[in-house]
Amino acid sequence: FDSARKNFRNEIYKDYKANRSEAPDDLAPQFEYIRKAVKAFNLPSIEQINYEADDLIATYAKQIISLGAKVTIISSDKDLMQLVSNKIRLFDPMKSKVIGEKEVIEKFGVKPNQVIDVQSLAGDSSDNIPGVPGIGIKTASELINKFKTLENLLKKAGEIPQKKRKETLINNKDLALISKKLVTLKDDVPIKTKIDTFDIKKVDKNKLYEFLREMEFNRLLSQAISFYGEPEGKVVQQNTNSVSKKIDVAKYKTIKKITDLDKLIKNLEDKSLISVDTETSSLNPLDADLVGISVCYSPNEAYYIPVKHKTENCLNKKVVIEKIKKILEDKSIKKIGQNIKFDNLILKKEGININPIEDTMLLSYTLDAGLNRHNLDTLSEIHLDHKTISYKDLVGSGKNKLIFEEVDLKKSTEYAGEDADVTFRLFDILKSRLDEEKLNIIYESFEKPLVQILSQIEMNGIKINTDYLKKLSTNFTNKIKKIEKEIFLIAKKEFNIGSPKQLGEIIYNELKIANLKKTKKGSLATNANILEDLAFKGHKFPRLVLDWRQLSKLKNTYTDALQDHVNSKTNRVHTSFLLAATTTGRLASSDPNLQNIPIKSEDGKDIRKAFISENNHLLLSADDQ
């Protein structure tokens, strides 16, 4: 930790960090709890009067290297990049990215051992380090690459050809040298906490859990208990149902005879909880045909009922639907699914209103939104330590890729049965956590009811005025052509406006309206920010390119694409609402994405007019403020 705000750097330069305002009122009280959190996990907590945390890090890093080891500093702080060497690296935990010499050069334009000199010239407004007025990181790196060190640069400042640059360096030599003292991390702090005391200590579970309860970190508490074990003195109940039996896909059975189906149905009638999964010919529920149904009522007790496989004769779909309907609609039997909204839509088309339901995807989302993905493969690895059969491995890829109904029945049974088995096991684990973390009301009142509501909305779809969309596409095409003519007139030649390379050539080499800028990969930079900056400065060409891009996107993404998404049977657009796609709890929409229909521009508003209501109905737009 940093010690009190003032340290030895304030003795060098009294205004060091003087521009820092007081911590916000809602942040200051949290400092105490950050320290408490460290102690709760039994980690060493180090701070030393007169020094900053970075100085302690530099000192400990130096000591570690002297002992013959290498160092990883978990931080992306630019001030620590001066420490990078063949023995020291940084690790950015937000991006899961290692920062070595290459990354430092990308950031500062110089090697790590020259970072201090660049920072001394450029200064740092956030820490009130003065630097040399008028010199930024780019110029500083150019100068240090040429003169190698700050001291050499200041000694030979008179040799610099640019008059203004030369004068500012000569006049501000003292500021540069003071800045160097400020930015240089002290690696010889007389530390009190010795490095040999940093052995990892055993966590005091009761102390940790007490802290997490005090903070009402219920989800973290559950994760800590699953990692470290139950509190001392509490009897641990083994979850024999879901974890103890190893998943064995060879035990799953294929139902090929009506007599076997009848036996399964009779067996299912006695159960209060089963999992269900449908296999289909498509991921679009409105276009998909039912290929098979898998069910599971106990670990490794999974069955696959094929109804439309080309490899072998299957049971008659009508007979299967008739017999399984009473199970899937029986209110005394809970049906668990993974993203059960999809299965619900498939079965609705077959006349089955599956009820009551549970959803492992939504359970996971309620518990761990933002921590991990909530698909079956991910949840199986996290909670069951089991890698599922991948769909790609099942159907293959390229020219030899199969559709599901072409897959061998034995393999189909293993795949479909595993889905049902894993879902069944996950429910037991996730539902127990939901009870412990007291999140039932969120799942029961908000998440689960949306399955039936959104299924109905997706089936209904939304009406589109396709004639209007066609006219709009034509209008956009005409506008685009008009803009293209203006662009070509200014460029004095025709070129592919959508090609960053060709556009860059026009901007930088032919029109020469901007200083050369390149991307990290070395190509000419033509992103929206650069074009907007140029347009803001009064250049007409970049404004026309931005307008061309906007109209082209509206045409391709909306007026053309929406026409392709109109269902031939219903003459409506049927989007899919994603219940577990955002960390905030908001719905998302895909295939097509209807949540980002533009509204700010007049052209965007015109697209919204294509969505219309049925006769004697209305469209209602609502928002909270």
Side-chain angles (χ1 to χ4, degrees), residues 10 38 81 94 181 205 291 370 494:
N10 294 100
V38 171
M81 290 184 183
M94 301 300 289
K181 289 180 181 179
K205 291 187 284 188
V291 177
E494 293 189 10

Side-chain angles (χ1 to χ4, degrees), residues 4 41 144 201 218 220 235 263 282 289 295 334 350 356 390 401 406 442 503 514 525 527 554 557 572 585-586:
F41 280 94
I144 296 302
K201 296 177 177 65
N218 295 325
L220 284 176
V235 177
K263 285 179 187 175
S282 167
D289 292 325
V295 294
K334 277 191 176 181
E350 304 296 342
S390 79
K401 185 178 179 181
E406 294 172 337
I442 302 295
L503 180 61
N527 60 46
L554 292 177
T557 309
R572 287 168 167 256
R586 288 181 63 178

